[in-house]
Amino acid sequence: MTAADTAESTRRNIILTADNLDASSYLLDEIAVGRLARPQLVYMDPPFYTKRNYTVKTPPGFPQPDGCFVSGEAPGARAFSDATGGQPFGSYLEGLAARIRAARDLLDISGSLWIHLDHHAVHYAKVIADGIFGGPDYLMNEVIWQYKSGGSTKKRFARKHDTLLFYAKDPKRHKFFPLTEKSYNRNLKPYRFKGVKEYRDEGGWYTVVNMKDVWPIDMVGRTSRERTGYATQKPVALLSRIIESCTEKGDLCVDLYGGSGSMAAAAEALKRQWVSIDENPLATEVTKKRLAARGATFTVEER
Ligand SMILES: C[S@@+](CC[C@H](N)C(=O)[O-])C[C@H]1O[C@@H](n2cnc3c(N)ncnc32)[C@H](O)[C@@H]1O
């Protein structure tokens, strides 16, 4: 039996309906009694302080091929509210700080935290996380997720990226597995440098290099097969990159703001253990259906 097989046989996947602070202390208790591994990855995709309400919209042709379907919910049902109701920015940041601290406490010594935000709050999150982790040396990358989507304004450049802050609990011991990407040659012609392998596809000549920190990845579009209808759903391709770069088969990945369960779906496909937490029962309902349709085994809990 290989190490990966052993990890497989002890895997424990959980869908948890709870506030993520309560859930984090529950997970810490489970870790303390040996019922749960320490996570190698914690992913946080919190509300961005956009002051908007988000909905669950049943897309045409629902249920989707992977079985996502929010039973009994009218199209347009409220999924979650992003700091509406007058939550002051200060208390939003305090909440974020508490979750970043909880995430760090959960992590294995070789683990990492990924915080996904946009221009509204990412600069504050960086200052807060630098303080919690011990300084800017703990920030491994600021990854730009670049996407195309409809909508722009004449008042400024179109905003078409999110920022992901990648922190290592211990920058000397953190797991990291470099990924690679194609780098197209200038003028798309061969360089013919000695010792450099070159390839060609329909786009032209390219070399293979270590992946950079700007990631062009498509959003989950209206007609995408992975679309669940849960607003703010992130693409599995994005989560897969994060998981593959920072974890190994059998490792535990925790999503503190699970939403439609995109991180769980990616972790399941990559044979990692996963815990997906959301305070909104609609979100955990979508996650349950999504993961069940993939043949995943998991427990469903409420706190
Ligand atoms: C931006 S969405 C996450 C989307 C998710 N990454 C996906 O791909 O579907 C944020 C989620 O956080 C949840 N949430 C907000 N505050 C929370 C809290 N304190 N505890 C648990 N979940 C929370 C919301 O219900 C919402 O589903």
Side-chain angles (χ1 to χ4, degrees):
M1 211 185 223
T2 65
D5 290 336
T6 314
E8 273 284 294
S9 65
T10 58
R11 47 187 300 181
R12 185 163 185 262
N13 305 321
I14 310 171
I15 297 174
L16 194 49
T17 308
D19 173 80
N20 48 22
L21 264 192
D22 298 339
S24 299
S25 54
Y26 165 65
L27 296 183
L28 269 183
D29 291 345
E30 291 290 280
I31 291 167
V33 295
R35 276 201 290 263
L36 197 70
R38 275 209 177 259
Q40 285 300 328
L41 170 68
V42 177
Y43 173 65
M44 289 176 53
D45 178 21
F48 290 180
Y49 205 79
T50 58
K51 302 186 190 158
R52 295 206 322 244
N53 287 323
Y54 291 97
T55 58
V56 178
K57 286 197 186 103
T58 311
F62 230 46
Q64 294 290 291
D66 68 356
C68 302
F69 183 65
V70 192
S71 56
E73 275 304 327
R78 167 83 70 87
F80 67 95
S81 165
D82 181 354
T84 50
Q87 188 194 17
F89 193 49
S91 61
Y92 167 84
L93 291 180
E94 274 170 26
L96 200 58
R99 271 78 188 178
I100 294 173
R101 200 167 290 115
R104 190 194 169 278
D105 290 348
L106 276 175
L107 279 174
D108 187 77
I109 192 68
S110 56
S112 57
L113 169 65
W114 286 69
I115 309 167
H116 186 152
L117 284 166
D118 73 0
H119 64 277
H120 290 91
V122 71
H123 46 312
Y124 292 93
K126 195 167 162 185
V127 173
I128 291 168
D130 281 355
I132 290 170
F133 277 80
D137 293 348
Y138 291 75
L139 179 67
M140 298 291 100
N141 283 114
E142 191 175 273
V143 169
I144 302 300
W145 170 35
Q146 184 202 341
Y147 45 78
K148 291 182 193 138
S149 63
S152 63
T153 165
K154 291 204 168 82
K155 294 193 173 154
R156 49 179 157 73
F157 294 111
R159 293 171 173 160
K160 300 297 169 191
H161 79 271
D162 291 358
T163 304
L164 291 104
L165 305 176
F166 159 27
Y167 280 89
K169 182 148 175 174
D170 181 343
K172 293 204 177 89
R173 296 165 69 182
H174 74 293
K175 283 189 186 178
F176 184 69
F177 308 100
L179 305 178
T180 56
E181 64 185 2
K182 292 177 183 178
S183 173
Y184 283 96
N185 298 356
R186 246 165 265 130
N187 301 323
L188 304 171
K189 295 201 174 108
Y191 290 146
R192 304 200 197 288
F193 292 142
K194 227 179 164 185
V196 178
K197 269 200 161 186
E198 292 182 291
Y199 308 86
R200 187 186 198 177
D201 67 10
E202 63 286 354
W205 286 86
Y206 65 90
T207 53
V208 174
V209 298
N210 281 344
M211 192 172 279
K212 296 180 276 295
D213 55 5
V214 177
W215 296 357
I217 295 177
D218 286 343
M219 295 186 100
V220 180
R222 280 177 207 278
T223 55
S224 164
R225 288 173 65 84
E226 69 186 78
R227 189 173 175 91
T228 62
Y230 197 87
T232 74
Q233 178 186 349
K234 303 302 182 300
V236 167
L238 175 72
L239 278 310
S240 299
R241 271 194 195 182
I242 296 171
I243 293 169
E244 284 187 301
S245 63
C246 293
T247 70
E248 296 176 270
K249 265 190 189 174
D251 285 345
L252 176 64
C253 307
V254 173
D255 190 347
L256 289 185
Y257 297 85
S260 64
S262 308
M263 198 227 52
E268 176 67 24
L270 293 167
K271 296 193 168 12
R272 272 62 168 175
Q273 300 178 75
W274 49 266
V275 175
S276 191
I277 301 158
D278 204 291
E279 66 182 3
N280 179 359
L282 253 180
T284 45
E285 186 61 26
V286 175
T287 304
K288 261 193 273 176
K289 296 217 157 87
R290 191 172 182 186
L291 272 294
R294 284 161 191 260
T297 52
F298 50 83
T299 57
V300 177
E301 299 177 28
E302 216 170 293
R303 292 272 116 199

